[in-house]
Every structure is written in structure tokens, then in C-alpha cells.
Amino acid sequence: FAMKVSLIIPVYNTAPYIERCLYSVLRQSYNNIEIILVDDYGTDNSMVLASRLLETPSVENAQPITSAADHSGEPRADHSGESRADVPRSLQILHHTENRGLSAARNTGLDAATGDYVFFLDSDDELPPHAIENLVRTADLYSHPHLVCGRVDVLPHGNKALEINEKLPDYIEGNEASSHTILRRNIPIMACNKLVNREFLQANHLNFKEGLIHEDNLWSFQMAGPIHNIAITRQITYLYHLNKKGLTMERVTPQRLESIKTILTTQIDMLAQERPLRTLQQAYIIFTAAWFRNLMYEQAHTEFDKMQQWIRTTLRPFGREMHYHNLKNHLLYRALYLPPTLLRAGKNLRDSAQH
């Protein structure tokens, strides 16, 4: 049995990078891949370049895959193509009739996926040649867990890596241990570079909330509740290109500010009643709030005082439950109520809380 992987690639105005991304997909050593390209109604020629490449890929071990790409009607799919191996490599190209954002594009791909596992890839990133093969082998080794995660290489080199906690075992079994792994951020909090069991996602309604920035933060939080097993490979399975992401991700825009508010309030509404899950969830929320507050402070953001007050008011009920938390979480929470001049100490606590 060759496990089928649905590789979901949202595309929106990534013309400078889309060919690099798709070449890396076509070069994959693993063949039972369903490529799902989701056109999110961009304004550049990303989809023209993508269609041209997929129709005539001059890549070893890839045969031409053809599809029709237009913006008419409902999302539609085109299937064709055989790879050199016995297992077919298939393609779906789906089209949004308006720009709906990354979450919606991922959801469209997820709804159309037919694989045993799904894997999200941003169209300005790329995969090492054996990425999917390494992840599938790891899944096979541990009897097909809910989630398989590899290492991420951040490019250009010299930037802070998205690391897996070196103390983490290669296999995490049980709901409590698996939830702890995600909520303590022992693996990167990103939707990409994770081989996720599709039936697990469907059974737990783990779609992405549309209209958000930092949707991965909420998605990971939601996944942590029902997950029961995680497998880890120490191989690099994702190449994360900063490109303009670094600047874009650091700038606090009004949409970003509202997204964080929505994420925090949604997570608080979803808090479990039982321990230790509730404590882990609270710690995850406190970390996000502290990180975002510090980011606004460093940018001398005009809305800092207002946002700081909102965070303090929203998280105040946690104070009655801090005796369930370890010292680092307790101090990080208390730092939210200290004057801004002491934020640097709070940042150091937040950074150390990751380790």
C-alpha cells in the first residue's frame, strides 16, 4: 500500500517564486502525490507560469501534467498525468472567483483532497527532493500517526531557525503528551511542513478560520485538543524562504491586530474544563499575548496602550488559576501587568519559556 499525499498549494501573487516551488514538487522522490493548486484570484501571472510549467515540466521523474486554468464558475478540478513510477501523480487546479485569503484557499484544497494525508506548502517556499518520502516513511514507521513533522530550514541562512525541541522523542503517544508537544511549541506552530491525517482533520472539523492573519496559531491550538500521536523526523523537509515575509510578518497592521484579538477570544471560549489540557491552553494563550504586546511595544505602535489594556482585561480571569501553572508561566502572566519599561524582562521570560 502506497500512502497517498495531497499536497495543497495556495497561489496568490507569487510569480517570482511559483516556478521554484513547483519544480521542487515535481522533483519529489515520492510519487503517490496529489498536487492541489488553489488559485486565490491573484492579479499577477502566477497561474500562467504554474500552468505552463505543469503542462511541460522538464524535470527528471515528472511527466507532463495538464490542466485548465480560468476564473469562471465554481472551484473546479482537472485530473490527469502519470509519473514514471507505477503510482500515478495527479493534479487538481481549483479557482476562486474572488480573493478570499490563505485560510479559504487551504480550506478549498482540503475539501477537494482525496489523500490519506495532507501537506500544506506555501507557493513562495519549496521542498527538498526527499521531503515527502521522508515524512511518509516516518508515518509508516509509527503506524500512521495523526501528525508527522520534519525540520524546517529558514533561508537565507543566518536567520532564526524554526526548530524542533531537541529533547523531543521521535514518537509522542497519547493525548496528553501530544497536546503538550503542540501547546508548549516543541514543534513549529505552522500549518506547513506537517503531514496530517486527513480523516483526523475531517473528524475534528479542523478547517482554517477565514479572514485571519496568524491563522496557524488558532489551527494548531484547535488541533492540540483531539490529537493522540505525533511522529518526528530530524530530516529537513521544508525550505522556508523569508523573501518579504520577514517585513510583512513583523509589521502590526489593523487587520493583524484584530486577528490577534479574534484568535485570543476564540481560544479562551474553547478552553477545556479538564487539567492539564486547560493549563497548557492557557499557557499558549499567555505566550501569544505576551509576544504580540512586545511586538507592538518595540514598534512604538499608536494602539499599544489600548491593546495592552485589552489584553490585561481579557486575560484577568486567568489570575485565579495561576496556581496550576509552573513558575515561568506565572511570571510571564504577571509581566503582562507590569509597566512597559519592564517588557524586556518579560520578553526574556517568554523566550526562555520555549525551552
Side-chain angles (χ1 to χ4, degrees):
F1 171 70
M3 182 193 301
K4 183 177 181 180
V5 176
S6 296
L7 216 161
I8 299 170
I9 311 171
V11 181
Y12 179 73
N13 290 355
T14 51
Y17 317 111
I18 186 68
E19 291 175 303
R20 178 183 68 192
C21 173
L22 293 179
Y23 269 124
S24 78
V25 172
L26 294 170
R27 289 190 180 110
Q28 286 302 298
S29 58
Y30 190 76
N31 284 288
N32 198 3
I33 294 175
E34 173 183 52
I35 303 167
I36 303 178
L37 226 58
V38 184
D39 170 18
D40 196 27
Y41 207 72
T43 55
D44 68 3
N45 65 334
S46 297
M47 290 306 299
V48 173
L49 295 170
S51 298
R52 186 184 301 158
L53 175 60
L54 292 171
E55 286 167 8
T56 55
S58 56
V59 183
E60 186 181 356
N61 92 342
Q63 291 291 321
I65 307 175
T66 59
S67 67
D70 60 56
H71 287 110
S72 60
E74 292 301 311
R76 49 180 289 202
D78 302 285
H79 304 260
S80 62
E82 289 279 319
S83 72
R84 223 171 43 177
D86 294 333
V87 181
R89 185 174 286 186
S90 62
L91 171 72
Q92 297 190 56
I93 297 183
L94 309 172
H95 305 283
H96 285 171
T97 54
E98 60 182 355
N99 175 238
R100 294 171 53 196
L102 180 59
S103 290
R106 285 175 174 169
N107 289 339
T108 295
L110 194 54
D111 290 343
T114 62
D116 302 292
Y117 279 77
V118 300
F119 183 97
F120 297 102
L121 169 62
D122 285 350
S123 57
D124 53 356
D125 294 327
E126 61 181 314
L127 302 177
H130 299 283
I132 302 300
E133 180 183 357
N134 285 330
L135 291 165
V136 167
R137 283 184 175 181
T138 305
D140 285 338
L141 189 62
Y142 296 107
S143 300
H144 308 113
H146 287 154
L147 173 69
V148 186
C149 182
R151 290 175 58 212
V152 178
D153 197 7
V154 180
L155 302 172
H157 290 292
N159 290 284
K160 187 177 181 182
L162 299 167
E163 291 293 343
I164 294 171
N165 190 319
E166 60 184 19
K167 297 177 182 178
L168 204 62
D170 290 341
Y171 183 61
I172 300 99
E173 188 169 20
N175 178 241
E176 185 176 328
S178 299
S179 298
H180 184 276
T181 297
I182 293 175
L183 293 172
R184 293 298 296 166
R185 292 173 164 81
N186 288 329
I187 58 176
I189 300 302
M190 59 189 299
C192 295
N193 192 41
K194 289 181 173 69
L195 201 65
V196 193
N197 184 286
R198 188 170 65 89
E199 288 185 357
F200 166 72
L201 291 176
Q202 288 180 320
N204 293 285
H205 310 288
L206 291 171
N207 290 328
F208 294 87
K209 187 175 179 65
E210 297 188 17
L212 289 182
I213 300 174
H214 299 297
E215 60 283 315
D216 293 7
N217 183 296
L218 179 57
W219 187 73
S220 297
F221 180 93
Q222 292 170 315
M223 181 188 292
I227 197 165
H228 273 83
N229 36 40
I230 301 171
I232 304 294
T233 172
R234 307 291 169 171
Q235 299 293 319
I236 292 172
T237 54
Y238 199 91
L239 303 179
Y240 181 90
H241 288 270
L242 281 175
N243 303 325
K244 295 180 181 178
K245 286 179 186 171
L247 295 173
T248 304
M249 291 305 292
E250 287 304 308
R251 192 173 65 253
V252 177
T253 61
Q255 185 190 1
R256 194 173 176 201
L257 195 150
E258 289 305 312
S259 288
I260 291 293
K261 284 185 175 181
T262 299
I263 288 167
L264 292 176
T265 52
T266 302
Q267 290 170 343
I268 289 169
D269 289 343
M270 293 176 61
L271 281 172
Q273 293 304 310
E274 68 277 6
R275 308 281 177 184
L277 180 57
R278 183 180 177 90
T279 304
L280 288 167
Q281 289 173 331
Q282 288 175 329
Y284 185 95
I285 292 167
I286 292 166
F287 183 96
T288 299
W291 159 76
F292 195 71
R293 176 181 184 244
N294 185 68
L295 187 63
M296 292 187 70
Y297 179 71
E298 287 180 343
Q299 295 183 19
H301 199 283
T302 56
E303 295 290 311
F304 172 79
D305 289 338
K306 189 183 295 184
M307 185 61 176
Q308 175 177 253
Q309 189 55 49
W310 183 90
I311 288 172
R312 289 174 172 177
T313 302
T314 303
L315 269 60
R316 185 162 282 120
F318 285 16
R320 296 190 292 270
E321 303 178 49
M322 290 314 296
H323 58 281
Y324 290 104
H325 290 256
N326 63 28
L327 180 60
K328 282 183 179 178
N329 290 342
H330 200 283
L331 292 174
L332 188 60
Y333 175 76
R334 291 300 172 197
L336 293 173
Y337 297 86
L338 295 174
T341 50
L342 297 176
L343 271 174
R344 181 57 56 187
K347 181 180 185 301
N348 292 337
L349 280 170
R350 178 171 58 82
D351 290 342
S352 66
Q354 286 187 290
H355 304 294

